[in-house]
Amino acid sequence: MAKLQKSIEKRNALLRATLCLVNSGGIQEASVAKVAKMAQVSPATIYLYFENKQDMVNQLYLCVKEHYATVAFENYIADKPVKKSYEQIWLNMIQFKKDNPEESSFLSQCDNTPIIEEDTRQKGLSFLQPLFDLWEKGKNEGIIKDVSPYIIYAFTIYPQSFLTNIEQRSLCKINKVELTQAFQAAWDSIKV
C-alpha cells in the first residue's frame, strides 16, 4: 500500500511541475528534464507514468478539467429551473477560477493553443456534459437561443477568465454585486 501511495505522489508531483512550467513559460518550457528536476525525480521516472511529454500534458489537462467540472457541478440539482441551475454552475465555475488561478491559467492556455490533442480535448469536454444538457433543456423550453453550445460557451464562460484575470492582476475587485451583474450579462446573451 505504501508503494502505491508513493507512486501516486510521484505522478502528482510530475503533474504539478508540468502545470507550473507550462504556466510560467508555455509548453516549450515544460521539457522532460525540467519537469523531472522540479518534481525531484529522474527523467526516466516520467516514462513510468506517461508515454511522452504530450501524454503528460494531455493527462494534466484531463485532471484539471475533471477538477473544474467537479467544482462546477457542486450543489447542482438538474430539476431546478434552467436559469437558476445555470446560475449555480456559472458561479461555481467563476469561483473555481478565483480559487485555482494556476489551473485556470492552464485551461485558458489549452483553450487558446493546439497543445492538447483533439481526442483529449473532447474527453475533457465530456466532463461538462451536464452543462450542455442544461443548455439543451433551455433550448427545448424556448428560453435559451437555439445556437451552438460553443457559441453559448464563448459568450458566457470565456468572459469569466477575463474577469478573474483582471482581479488577480489587482486591476479591480469583483464583488457580489458585480458577479450578479456579470451573470446577468451572460444570461442576457443567451436567453430568448
Side-chain angles (χ1 to χ4, degrees):
M1 190 63 149
K3 197 172 193 177
L4 175 62
Q5 183 61 32
K6 191 168 185 164
S7 176
I8 292 169
E9 289 171 7
K10 280 186 183 180
R11 183 179 187 278
N12 289 341
L14 290 165
L15 291 174
R16 280 191 307 276
T18 304
L19 178 69
C20 180
L21 289 167
V22 169
N23 280 343
S24 67
I27 188 70
Q28 66 280 1
E29 199 57 34
S31 69
V32 169
K34 286 181 180 179
V35 169
K37 184 176 181 180
M38 184 175 268
Q40 300 178 338
V41 300
S42 77
T45 301
I46 289 174
Y47 298 104
L48 297 174
Y49 301 95
F50 309 102
E51 291 177 26
N52 51 38
K53 176 181 166 179
Q54 184 64 53
D55 181 46
M56 186 168 52
V57 172
N58 283 335
Q59 292 304 314
L60 173 60
Y61 173 79
L62 290 174
C63 287
V64 173
K65 198 71 162 187
E66 185 173 30
H67 181 213
Y68 176 56
T70 298
V71 171
F73 299 117
E74 281 179 8
N75 302 315
Y76 169 63
I77 302 169
D79 61 354
K80 285 171 121 177
V82 171
K83 181 180 180 185
K84 198 74 179 152
S85 293
Y86 184 48
E87 183 175 23
Q88 177 69 54
I89 295 167
W90 191 92
L91 290 170
N92 287 348
M93 287 176 152
I94 204 163
Q95 193 62 50
F96 171 89
K97 291 172 183 181
K98 291 172 81 167
D99 292 345
N100 302 281
E102 297 86 10
E103 290 183 4
S104 182
S105 176
F106 176 74
L107 287 177
S108 290
Q109 284 191 64
C110 293
D111 286 341
N112 295 305
T113 64
I115 64 174
I116 302 300
E117 294 173 342
E118 191 55 35
D119 61 326
T120 301
R121 189 180 307 275
Q122 291 304 316
K123 186 174 181 182
L125 279 175
S126 73
F127 295 135
L128 298 175
Q129 191 59 50
L131 176 60
F132 301 135
D133 293 344
L134 180 65
W135 288 340
E136 193 61 36
K137 177 182 175 185
K139 289 178 194 180
N140 292 338
E141 291 178 6
I143 58 176
I144 291 180
K145 294 174 185 170
D146 190 13
V147 296
S148 161
Y150 295 108
I151 292 172
I152 295 173
Y153 200 94
F155 278 86
T156 65
I157 305 302
Y158 275 163
Q160 292 178 337
S161 294
F162 175 80
L163 290 174
T164 56
N165 187 328
I166 62 171
E167 183 175 54
Q168 289 162 5
R169 292 172 34 217
S170 300
L171 297 175
C172 77
K173 182 75 176 144
I174 306 297
N175 61 33
K176 189 172 180 157
V177 170
E178 290 163 330
L179 269 181
T180 301
Q181 291 170 341
F183 171 74
Q184 191 60 49
W187 178 254
D188 289 347
S189 73
I190 64 170
K191 75 175 185 176
V192 173

